[in-house]
Amino acid sequence: MARAENVNINLCAIVPVYRHESASRAVVEKLASYELPVILVDDGNAPEGHEILVQIANEFPKVQLVTNKVNLGKGGAVRSGMVAAVAAGYTHALQVDADGQHDMDMIPFFVKAAKKHSDDLIGGFPQYDDSVPKSRESGRKITNFWVAIETLSREIPDAMCGFRVYPLATSLPAAKKFRNNRMGFDIEILVRLSWAGVKLRFYPIKVSYPKDGVSNFRLFHDNVAISLTHTKLCLGMLVRSPLILARRIFKK
Ligand SMILES: Nc1nc2c(ncn2[C@@H]2O[C@H](COP(=O)(O)OP(=O)(O)OP(=O)(O)O)[C@@H](O)[C@H]2O)c(=O)[nH]1
Ligand SMILES: [Mg+2]
């Protein structure tokens, strides 16, 4: 089937927020400056954090606040945002982390790429400066190694970047097929979209870690959970490998 190119898309941004309510204001401001509607997901923040998000939603006309009463985790927050986006009629969602680590000036480039390749997932390929913690850098390398095995390809240069445009017609059904609510979500959805035959395109984006930034990444817990995700995805690949390989052969 021919892929849709340069068609009209209805795009919003999804910003999942947990303990990043202060940093999220600048992210929302930047999105608003590009006239993008925003779905801000309050992922079970404390009352003070919730209050700040309510203020932001009241201040910016194109911001819709979605509230998870309890903290579900990053994946749970993005999934809630996707459900709200589809209900509101959006076809695509730019997922942006609330911590302001990504180069927001790349938004127009990513939007253009999503319009040009509207069936495809448009992902960020992080270009880190010296501020990246070493532990996070090596964790990503290990993840990207496993993802190549899980997809039997090198099509995903980075599976953890929190800046990407989802085509919702394929991404929400994929996101509903698994329960991974925490940090493994970013990885698992890309692998599942690849299994489903969705084309994944990656473009560089600068990422920096501010010195006083809040990280929710729990080195031990999240790395153990991510290892379990890889175990599950490797088994999933074994089951699907005939299909994945057949699709590749017949596409040529
Ligand atoms: N970790 C985490 N993040 C959440 C949760 N709910 C929503 N988020 C949001 O998900 C995004 C990613 O969280 P970060 O703490 O920056 O995680 P990360 O980018 O993998 O980790 P760093 O590389 O240390 O920044 C941010 O926008 C968070 O506010 C949650 O329960 N846990
Ligand atoms: Mg982050």
Side-chain angles (χ1 to χ4, degrees):
M1 202 173 64
R3 292 179 187 279
E5 288 214 346
N6 283 318
V7 297
N8 276 334
I9 64 171
N10 194 7
L11 178 93
C12 68
I14 293 176
V15 184
V17 190
Y18 186 60
R19 296 173 61 229
H20 284 136
E21 58 282 347
S22 302
S24 70
R25 172 179 288 277
V27 171
V28 170
E29 261 169 20
K30 199 76 190 186
L31 290 164
S33 75
Y34 290 113
E35 299 190 349
L36 277 181
V38 180
I39 295 179
L40 196 58
V41 185
D42 173 356
D43 190 29
N45 284 283
E48 312 79 66
H50 176 71
E51 224 14 77
I52 293 175
L53 295 176
V54 171
Q55 275 171 23
I56 295 174
N58 287 336
E59 210 173 300
F60 294 86
K62 286 184 167 185
V63 175
Q64 177 190 345
L65 183 62
V66 169
T67 304
N68 289 342
K69 288 266 177 270
V70 291
N71 173 245
L72 294 181
K74 177 177 184 183
V78 172
R79 206 184 275 108
S80 305
M82 284 182 175
V83 169
V86 169
Y90 295 109
T91 59
H92 288 71
L94 167 69
Q95 183 214 298
V96 193
D97 283 354
D99 53 11
Q101 291 173 341
H102 299 100
D103 175 9
M104 301 289 282
D105 292 333
M106 286 302 283
I107 290 171
F109 180 91
F110 275 68
V111 172
K112 202 170 159 199
K115 283 184 180 160
K116 183 157 197 268
H117 307 288
S118 59
D119 289 340
D120 305 346
L121 176 125
I122 311 296
F125 178 28
Q127 311 293 303
Y128 296 109
D129 59 17
D130 293 341
S131 59
V132 58
K134 286 285 164 268
S135 57
R136 304 288 285 110
E137 207 174 17
S138 45
R140 278 170 193 269
K141 282 188 185 148
I142 295 169
T143 272
N144 295 333
F145 166 81
W146 283 113
V147 161
I149 294 172
E150 289 148 15
T151 57
L152 296 173
S153 79
R154 292 201 160 269
E155 69 180 327
I156 302 180
D158 186 283
M160 296 181 82
C161 185
F163 192 97
R164 49 180 69 164
V165 183
Y166 288 110
L168 292 168
T170 44
S171 303
L172 181 57
K176 282 183 170 171
K177 276 199 186 134
F178 64 96
R179 283 165 183 255
N180 199 334
N181 275 344
R182 297 216 164 251
M183 287 307 193
F185 176 92
D186 280 353
I187 302 167
E188 185 158 356
I189 191 154
L190 292 192
V191 171
R192 285 181 177 271
L193 287 174
S194 166
W195 286 347
V198 173
K199 185 158 176 56
L200 313 173
R201 297 175 186 270
F202 289 85
Y203 299 98
I205 181 155
K206 283 190 215 141
V207 180
S208 59
Y209 282 66
K211 273 205 180 63
D212 51 352
V214 175
S215 173
N216 297 315
F217 195 89
R218 298 162 309 165
L219 216 48
F220 179 74
H221 283 91
D222 285 323
N223 277 324
V224 168
I226 286 173
S227 302
L228 291 174
T229 299
H230 286 309
T231 308
K232 183 177 78 174
L233 293 174
C234 280
L235 293 173
M237 175 274 289
L238 287 178
V239 176
R240 292 171 179 83
S241 54
L243 187 73
I244 298 170
L245 294 173
R247 188 187 291 135
R248 213 157 290 161
I249 291 164
F250 288 115
K251 250 190 190 168
K252 281 183 182 161

